[in-house]
Amino acid sequence: MSVPADSGPLTALSSAGVSIWLDDLSRELLAGGELKKLITDKHVVGVTTNPTIFASALSKGNRYNEQLRRLGETGSSVDDAVFALTTDDVRDGCDALVPVFERTGGIDGRVSIEVDPRMAQNADATAAMARRLWDAVDRTNLFIKIPATRKGLKAITAVIAEGISVNVTLIFSLERYREVMDAYQSGLEQAREAGRDLADIHSVASFFVSRVDTEVDHRLNAIGTNEAQVLGGKAAIANARLAYEAYEQTIAQPRWQHLAAAGARAQRPLWASTGVKNPSYPDTMYVSELVIPGTVNTMPGTTLEAFADHGTLPAHAPTADDFAAAAAHLRALQDVGVDFGNVTDTLEREGLAKFEDSWRELGESVQRDMHAEAVSTDRTGTSAADDTEKSRLLAIYLNDHYAGATGGRELFRRAAQASTDAAGGTALADLAQQVEEDRDALARIMTDLGVPTSQSKAAMGWLAEKAGRLKPNGHILTRSPLSDLLEAESMLLGVLGKAACWRTLRILAETDARLPADHLDTLLERAEQQSDTLEGLRSAAASRTLLPRPADTR
């Protein structure tokens, strides 16, 4: 990640009272000195991590290899190895941010590490994991991230009461946000009763932004083009502004005032998921539209780059009129049939599932690398027969994916042509072009590796796609109302498989100079973006096809 030298907009953002945090951490950032440069030159005063970030970090570079092999040799479990890797990185990140922590009196200079997301529905297990992470990292500028599930609220209160600072994550709804603020105050009240110094306890509440627009826009597209054009792209900012209004209301209450008088620190709102997913929207909108003093904005590297280059600030922070307009917008969504409560429930459920998937992927990568045999530069001890067999298996593997890419190309083309939704058809046409380019990229990689493409397998992939048109979707030869949904699910599965292929090749690139590591990282990032787009199309198709339309009350 590189950031332009001119950081004027970042200076203005920081001067406006917004704490700029980076939503990324890896040993490449730490060991290469880039994190320190971002702190020094780009006003970065905090870092957030999550399972997805750690899974991505492990797939890039080789700075984890030695520790992983050592853990494998000592018989460590996968969970213990993941714990060791992540806590080591976060501890080093905390150390890098100590000057900021000291300069800001502990307000900033913090690094967040998340509890195992598989424990999110078990309050006691979540609290126990939070204590274990707190003790292992052993840094006062640490935040423990706890998802804001209903069970998570109990864990938040418990660990705050014990003096552990918390970053509450995965907040989407105003109702849940109020519950989070209540859980924080309950924890502080218990800490005060236990005689703890409340000034030592800090917290932020991570309110997620961009995913709201993604889900709402898909539902608007399913309802009708006019609604999407009028109401699209505004729900996330409206929801976040109402969250800040709820925060102001909470800290004005006597309950909070009593805690503040006892030395309690306010639980600052943190704007998370601020990377723009819709390319038709300004790439800095979730930063520019939420410039509010005393808040935090944690940005992925690309958003930080974009804002450093061309970010702008509004004339003023949101006012009472802005809050009223935000509430009116959510009512307008409800009026056209978008159940906003269902939107936020869906986002919480899917967000947790994504973190669990990333955690599982992280564990699989750790397990594989822990038990990988060390490869010497002269390949001593590796027989020619072993090489031949591995080359044969690689050829089969790549040709299977090439066949799948051939069938996938045909499916994307057909889905784009058949789409009755203008926006969806445009998105599918763009994806079809990308899938074609990805297939060509795979073919070039196979050529570089000396793996011939099997035309018979490619033909089988083409035929399989044609045969797939006869699947039992309620119609045999004509399109069914289910066609869009089933095709979106098939395309999503194909892209997930393609991403797995890029990850496999990325692992091989560590010891095979013929594989372009940077190019594979780009292909993998694009596959993840394709997956997000397809998930949106799938969700819209499901709503359009299976949800009952709201009764017309006009």
Side-chain angles (χ1 to χ4, degrees), residues 373-515:
E373 294 181 1
V375 180
S376 62
T377 55
D378 63 356
R379 298 184 61 84
T380 300
T382 302
S383 68
D386 287 341
D387 284 347
T388 300
E389 176 62 9
K390 289 178 180 178
S391 296
R392 184 184 72 83
L393 294 174
L394 179 62
I396 294 172
Y397 176 80
L398 293 177
N399 270 293
D400 284 346
H401 273 284
Y402 187 75
T406 300
R409 177 189 61 178
E410 298 300 316
L411 175 57
F412 274 89
R413 286 175 175 175
R414 174 165 60 83
Q417 293 169 357
S419 177
T420 57
D421 171 48
T426 300
L428 285 170
D430 182 51
L431 287 173
Q433 178 61 37
Q434 292 182 27
V435 168
E436 175 80 20
E437 293 169 359
D438 290 346
R439 178 177 178 268
D440 292 343
L442 178 57
R444 287 192 294 271
I445 288 171
M446 292 171 71
T447 299
D448 291 342
L449 293 174
V451 175
T453 56
S454 171
Q455 295 306 313
S456 60
K457 277 198 174 184
M460 288 297 292
W462 182 87
L463 288 171
E465 191 283 326
K466 304 301 180 187
R469 302 184 189 192
L470 302 177
K471 57 183 174 288
N473 58 7
H475 292 223
I476 299 300
L477 297 176
T478 60
R479 290 185 68 79
S480 155
L482 282 172
S483 294
D484 287 349
L485 176 57
L486 293 172
E487 287 174 351
E489 290 178 349
S490 296
M491 289 184 286
L492 180 57
L493 288 172
V495 168
L496 292 174
K498 175 172 62 180
C501 177
W502 298 145
R503 290 190 183 96
T504 296
L505 292 173
R506 184 63 178 80
I507 293 168
L508 299 181
E510 297 298 332
T511 55
D512 194 330
R514 296 174 297 174
L515 287 166

Side-chain angles (χ1 to χ4, degrees), residues 249-303:
Q249 292 168 350
T250 295
I251 62 174
Q253 295 299 313
R255 182 188 185 189
W256 172 254
Q257 294 300 320
H258 290 319
L259 287 167
R265 309 275 192 166
Q267 184 186 51
R268 290 186 295 166
L270 180 152
W271 312 123
S273 182
T274 56
V276 176
K277 294 178 172 56
N278 189 328
S280 66
Y281 297 157
D283 58 359
T284 61
M285 64 183 284
Y286 299 125
V287 182
S288 296
E289 297 296 326
L290 293 172
V291 178
I292 306 174
T295 64
V296 181
N297 197 305
T298 185
M299 312 176 206
T302 52
T303 303

Side-chain angles (χ1 to χ4, degrees), residues 327-389:
H329 182 77
L330 296 191
R331 288 195 298 271
L333 291 174
Q334 201 75 29
D335 289 342
V336 300
V338 175
D339 184 341
F340 200 72
N342 181 263
V343 166
T344 55
D345 287 348
T346 298
L347 289 171
E348 179 184 306
R349 185 173 59 254
E350 292 182 348
L352 193 58
K354 287 179 180 178
F355 279 173
E356 289 176 355
D357 288 344
S358 295
W359 193 268
R360 185 165 48 252
E361 177 187 329
L362 174 60
E364 290 170 354
S365 297
V366 165
Q367 184 174 39
R368 181 176 55 247
D369 292 349
M370 281 171 64
H371 303 293
E373 294 181 1
V375 180
S376 62
T377 55
D378 63 356
R379 298 184 61 84
T380 300
T382 302
S383 68
D386 287 341
D387 284 347
T388 300
E389 176 62 9

Side-chain angles (χ1 to χ4, degrees), residues 205-252:
S206 294
F207 201 86
F208 278 51
V209 186
S210 67
R211 297 186 194 181
V212 173
D213 272 342
T214 301
E215 182 67 20
V216 168
D217 287 358
H218 293 320
R219 298 190 186 205
L220 287 172
N221 285 328
I223 292 169
T225 304
N226 184 61
E227 284 80 1
Q229 291 176 343
V230 173
L231 298 174
K234 301 181 180 72
I237 297 299
N239 196 40
R241 286 178 174 172
L242 290 175
Y244 186 76
E245 182 185 39
Y247 165 76
E248 287 192 318
Q249 292 168 350
T250 295
I251 62 174

